[in-house]
Amino acid sequence: MIGKERIRELISRMTVREKAAEMSQLWGENPDGTLMGLEQGIHRDPFLDANAGSLLGYYGAERTIRAQKMHLEKNRHKIPLLFMTDVIHGFKTAFPSVLGLAATWNPKLAEQTAAVAAAEAASSGVCVTFSPMADLVRDARWGRVTESAGEDPYLNALFAAAFVRGYQGDDVSAPGKIASCVKHFAGYGAAEGGRDYDSVQIGEASLWNDYLPPFLAAMEAGCKLLMPAFHTMDGVPCTASRELLTGLLRDRLGFTGTVISDCTAVWELICHGVCADEKEAALAAVGAGVDIEMVSSSFYDNLESLLAEGKMTMEQLDNAVERILTLKDELGLFENPYKDADPEAEQKLLLCPAHRQLAREAAANSAVLLKNEGGVLPLRPSDKIALIGPLSHSRKLIDTWGLVNSDEKDCVTVKQALLGCGQLSGVLHAPGCCLKNDCEPDAVYPDDAPLMEEALALAEECDKIVLVLGEHPDMSGESGSRSHIDLPDNQMELLSRLSQAGKPIVTVVLAGRPLALTRASQLSDALLYAWYPGTEGGNGIADVLTGKTGPSGRLPMSFPRSSGQCPIYYNHLPTGRPNRSGAYERFKNGYVDQPPGPLYPFGYGLTYTRFSYSPVRLSARQIPFPSQGAQAGGDALLTAEVTLKNEGSRPGTETVQLYLQDVAAQRSRPVRLLKGFSRETLAPGESRTVRFSVTADMLTYYLPGSGHVLEPGAFRAFIGPDSETRSFAEFFLLQEGGDENGM
Ligand code: NOJ
C-alpha cells in the first residue's frame, strides 16, 4: 500500500479535470481498444482514456491487462484503472440466483460460492463486484426479488455478510479477492406496486428495524463500497439525499468506503424532477456524498465550473477522490495494477470441476420441496419417467444478472442430468409446450397443440410425470416486474391436461420469484421449487429428484395464493382485527375471496422424512433486566430448546427455526421475527436437543426518538419448522430491579 500521505500528495498534484475524470465511471471500449466514453454525451475522449477512474462491465484477463497498460501509459500520475462488474451469483460458473442461495438457509455455503465467484472474476481482471444486494423484499411482483435474500432482516443480514466475506476475505488485496459493493441504499425493495424504480415510502422505525440491518451487517463485514438506490424516498432521490448518504451513512453509521451511484442515477435526478439540468444533478449528488458517477457524464462535464463558481469546494472533490484512491490502494493496485488478471489462471479456474461441483451442491441445497403427496418423490430406480415441460430440456437456468458473465451454453439441463444419472429405468422426453417470454410481446411461437398431444401420449406410456415449468429468465431481474405472477397460461393448460392422465405428477418450477401456485399445487402430487439453479442446475435438481441429495431448502419469502395478495410477508405488524381462523370472517383482517395467509409460509420446506418437535422448553421464565455490560457482551438471558426427532425411515436435514414475539411494546412489533435457526441432519429414529441462546439484542428494537431500546414485559419464543409454527413458550423480562408485576 502507498498509504494516506502519498495519496494526499498525489491528489494535490491533480487538476480539477483529472479529479472529475477519476470520479467518472465509463463503460465498454471502442473497437480500437480505447475506452469508450460516457453514456450521455461523450463517446470518445482521449482525456478520459487517460484519466477515467473506473470501467463498468469490463473483464477478461487479456482485455483488462491491455486496457490497464494503455491507461497507465497515458495517465501522468500512474493511477491505475478499476474494473468493476456485476458478479452477483457466480462469475463464469453460475450458482443459483441469490434468492435460491438464500433458500439453502446456509450462509456458509453462500460464502463459499462468493469466494469461488471472486477467484474466477479476479483471474479475469475484475476488482470490484456490485454485490451483495442487501435489499429486503416483500413483494414478489418486483423482478429484483431474485437478487435478494428475501423478506427477513436477520436472514438477509447473514447472507449479506457472508457474501462480503466470500468476496473480500480478510484482505481484499490477497490473491483471488475482490472488493464488494453493497446496494441499493436504502429501501429499494419497497418500490410501490412492485414496479422497478418506483417511489418508496418507509417510516423511520421500519427503515431501521427492517431495511437497514442487512446493510449494517455488510458494513460490519467490511464491504468497501456502497451504492445508493435509484428511487425517491419521501420525495428525495437516494442519489441526492444528503440526509441518507452523509447524515445516516457516514455520520451515524460510520461508513468510510466509496459511494458509487447506480447506472445513470445522477443524470436521472433531472427525470425525478429535483434538478433542472446535469449541472444541478452533479451538485446535488456530490453534495449528498456520491464519489463516483456511473456512466452518465454530469460530474465530468460540470465539476470544473461548479468549483469555479464557488458552488462546490475543493475539499469536497478531494475527499471523494481520496476515497477512490484509497480503495485502489487497499486492492494493492498501485503496486500491482493488474492484480490477479492472468489468462492462464483464468483458463484453469473458470468452470473448473471443483467450481462446478460446488454449483451442483448449491443447486441441490437451494431446491425447496413444497408438496410430496403419497411419497411420489424421490423417484425410484424402477420408475419409467415422462419428462415434459418447456424448461425440461432448456439451458435457461441462469437469471439475467448471471448472464452478464456466464453462458447458458455451459448449463447442464434437467433432461441431460436425468438421462445421465443412471438411476432411472427409463426417461422419455417431450417439450409439451413452448417457453413464452412476456418481455417480447411480438414474438411468434410454434403451435402448442401438437406438442401437448405428443406429451399426453408419452405420459400414457410412463409411471410418473416430471414436469419442468417456470418463467423465462427475462421475466424477472432488473425491470422484470410482473403484475400477475402466475405460471404462463400455456404451461397451466399443459399441467391441467396432463393431470387428467391419472399419473402422478412431479412439478418442478424454475423462476426468479415466488409464483402464485395455488392451482399448480392442486394439480400436482409433488412440487419442487428450484429458482434459477445455475450452471449445474440440471444435476442439482436430478440429485434431489432421485434422492441422492435429500431436499433441505426452505422458503426465504412467503408464497402468495394469488398476485393480489402481494406484498405478503410473515413478519408483518399485528392489526386490531387479526383473523385467526384462516377462513373469511366479517370485520377481520384479510380478503373476502381467499384466506389471509400465504399458500406456503416463509421458512417452509419438506424433506423426504418426517420430524417431530417437543414443546418448547425455557431455561427460565422470569428474566432479570440485563446490565449494560451483559447487553453489550451478548450474554445469554435464557435458552430455549426443543427435542427434535426423525420419525421417518430416511435420513434428513431439518432447519429448526426460532422466532420471538414482543407481546406488548411502545410501538407495535411484528407478530414474530426470526432470530435463529439450525440445520440438523438426523438419521432415522434419531432425536436431538436443539438449543438456542436468547440474547438482549434479539429483544431490542429501534424506537424513533430513542434509538435501540430493550423493554421489559412478556415475550414469546416459538420453535418449529416454519414461520407458522404455533408452538411457543412465554417468558417475562423484569423491569430493572423489579419483579413480574413491575414492582
Ligand atoms: C443497475 C443496477 O440497479 C445495479 O444493481 C447494477 O449494479 C448496475 N446497474 C451496474 O450494472
Side-chain angles (χ1 to χ4, degrees), residues 56 86 130 144 147 183-184 188 227 230 262-263 294 401 478:
L56 168 65
D86 292 275
F130 299 118
R144 300 196 80 167
E147 297 174 55
K183 65 189 187 186
H184 308 82
Y188 186 35
M227 185 189 290
F230 280 126
D262 204 339
C263 210
M294 190 189 286
W401 277 120
E478 187 175 344

Side-chain angles (χ1 to χ4, degrees), residues 205 233 300 361 386 393 477 497 578 649 675 736:
M233 203 143 53
Y300 185 57
E361 196 187 315
H393 53 288
R497 290 187 65 185
S649 54
K675 291 295 176 182
E736 269 183 290

